[in-house]
Amino acid sequence: MTKKNQNLTAAIIIFIGGLLSVLGVFIAARQAINDSEELDKKNKKIIELTEENARLSKQALDQITGGTSWAYVKSGLDFLHGIVDQPSIWTINVVGEIPLYDVSVVISEISHDNTLPTKSYKLTPILSKEFGTVTPSLHPDHVGLITLPKNKKRTEFQVKIKARNGEITQHIIFIKKDDGHWTKAEKVFRYRPTDKGGFKKEVLSEKINDDFPDKQHVLWIEI
């Protein structure tokens, strides 16, 4: 074999060796990609199962505590010209799909003391009731019969609704109009725990009738 042929043979061997090395690297890389894709699929499946378990756990906990459902008390008899000046049944109403458990309601009349330099008020309980479980319904449970005062132009109530998933506060303000009917403003809120150990107010509902005086400056009691 001539030297030229020897060089050619060596070059071919080197080329084939390099090609095999490249092929080996390619196969190893492809296998690594396949392994990575398989691992990603397994990790994705684990994440999906974890999320589903978390969702089911939360769902089960919500069924025990009441979840994000909340309640308010519907007050007064509303007609075209306002709330009529006569006794009315106040009812408890649930907002949300999950029932509320261990529910109790206390309604207090608010008396303001305007003689002091700072704003102060007194709460006088007028009605309380234990409900146990309260469900969303077209026929809400009765809290009781309440008569708005005949000798006042303004009266206010605070409603405390306690349930397994927390406490809800409702402030109701009635003002009597010149035609003898009442107009109303009301706010429903609760305080939710924060990650930092404090509490944050969550306004659940705020309704002010169109004929309520000075709508922009309603003084709410928010504790």
Side-chain angles (χ1 to χ4, degrees), residues 92-162:
I92 184 167
N93 300 260
V94 175
V95 179
E97 298 179 355
I98 304 174
L100 294 178
Y101 305 97
D102 301 333
V103 178
S104 64
V105 176
V106 176
I107 300 176
S108 300
E109 189 171 5
I110 301 172
S111 302
H112 292 275
D113 188 346
N114 299 318
T115 62
L116 300 175
T118 57
K119 297 183 183 298
S120 63
Y121 61 91
K122 182 178 72 173
L123 298 176
T124 303
I126 61 171
L127 188 62
S128 63
K129 190 172 182 179
E130 301 282 341
F131 285 96
T133 301
V134 180
T135 59
S137 174
L138 290 174
H139 305 285
D141 294 324
H142 293 179
V143 180
L145 183 71
I146 292 182
T147 303
L148 299 179
K150 298 287 186 182
N151 58 343
K152 290 184 179 180
K153 290 290 186 180
R154 179 187 181 104
T155 185
E156 300 182 37
F157 299 91
Q158 183 195 75
V159 181
K160 287 288 187 181
I161 303 171
K162 292 185 178 181

Side-chain angles (χ1 to χ4, degrees), residues 167 169 187-194 198-206 220-223:
E167 181 179 272
T169 301
K187 189 171 188 176
V188 185
F189 59 94
R190 62 183 169 190
Y191 285 90
R192 306 285 279 182
T194 64
F199 289 87
K200 180 181 180 181
K201 183 179 67 178
E202 177 187 4
V203 177
L204 302 168
S205 174
E206 183 174 331
W220 302 109
I221 297 175
E222 298 181 312
I223 58 172

Side-chain angles (χ1 to χ4, degrees), residues 2-158:
T2 64
K3 186 175 182 180
K4 183 177 180 180
N5 289 337
Q6 289 177 344
N7 291 338
L8 180 60
T9 301
I12 292 172
I13 292 172
I14 292 172
F15 173 76
I16 293 174
L19 185 62
L20 290 174
S21 297
V22 171
L23 183 60
V25 170
F26 174 77
I27 293 174
R30 184 67 240 176
Q31 184 62 43
I33 291 172
N34 290 338
D35 291 344
S36 177
E37 289 177 349
E38 187 64 27
L39 183 61
D40 288 343
K41 289 180 181 178
K42 290 181 179 179
N43 287 338
K44 184 178 179 181
K45 187 65 176 177
I46 291 172
I47 292 172
E48 289 175 351
L49 290 173
T50 302
E51 290 176 347
E52 178 65 10
N53 286 335
R55 187 186 69 81
L56 292 175
S57 296
K58 183 180 184 304
Q59 191 176 66
L61 183 62
D62 287 347
Q63 290 296 331
I64 294 172
T65 65
T68 57
S69 294
W70 55 278
Y72 69 97
V73 167
K74 188 178 186 306
S75 56
L77 289 173
D78 289 285
F79 286 91
L80 180 62
H81 299 293
I83 298 169
V84 295
D85 192 15
Q86 66 183 54
S88 62
I89 293 289
W90 290 21
T91 60
I92 184 167
N93 300 260
V94 175
V95 179
E97 298 179 355
I98 304 174
L100 294 178
Y101 305 97
D102 301 333
V103 178
S104 64
V105 176
V106 176
I107 300 176
S108 300
E109 189 171 5
I110 301 172
S111 302
H112 292 275
D113 188 346
N114 299 318
T115 62
L116 300 175
T118 57
K119 297 183 183 298
S120 63
Y121 61 91
K122 182 178 72 173
L123 298 176
T124 303
I126 61 171
L127 188 62
S128 63
K129 190 172 182 179
E130 301 282 341
F131 285 96
T133 301
V134 180
T135 59
S137 174
L138 290 174
H139 305 285
D141 294 324
H142 293 179
V143 180
L145 183 71
I146 292 182
T147 303
L148 299 179
K150 298 287 186 182
N151 58 343
K152 290 184 179 180
K153 290 290 186 180
R154 179 187 181 104
T155 185
E156 300 182 37
F157 299 91
Q158 183 195 75

